[in-house]
Amino acid sequence: MHNLPATGLIRLKQIIGDSKANPPIPAVINISKSQLWHLVKCGKFPQPRKLSARTTVWSAEEIHHYIENGGGDV
């Protein structure tokens, strides 16, 4: 289905994908970065955690829960 780890912390590109990476990272949820941040702001997507000024992560468990409950069909 997708290549997200079952547990741990994941970064934005692991969720929305990155076709320019080598090798390319497939999207788990097919939305843009701005759409994802809008969903976070509206409370419809799990809240991220800031690890540092330039590092934002999400809980893999929360993303799996979001997808399993139909949230991946945005």
Side-chain angles (χ1 to χ4, degrees), residues 38-47 66 71 74:
H38 176 73
L39 292 173
V40 168
K41 184 177 180 181
C42 293
K44 296 179 181 178
F45 194 80
Q47 291 293 312
Y66 176 79
V74 289

Side-chain angles (χ1 to χ4, degrees), residues 46-57:
Q47 291 293 312
R49 294 172 179 84
K50 290 291 275 183
L51 295 183
S52 69
R54 295 179 49 148
T55 306
T56 302
V57 296

Side-chain angles (χ1 to χ4, degrees), residues 3-4 10-29 31 33 36-37 56-58:
N3 58 352
L4 283 181
I10 57 175
R11 306 225 15 214
L12 179 66
K13 290 186 179 191
Q14 291 175 279
I15 299 170
I16 65 171
D18 184 1
S19 61
K20 295 179 182 180
N22 188 14
I25 303 168
V28 174
I29 302 172
I31 61 174
K33 180 168 53 170
L36 183 133
W37 284 112
T56 302
V57 296
W58 282 262

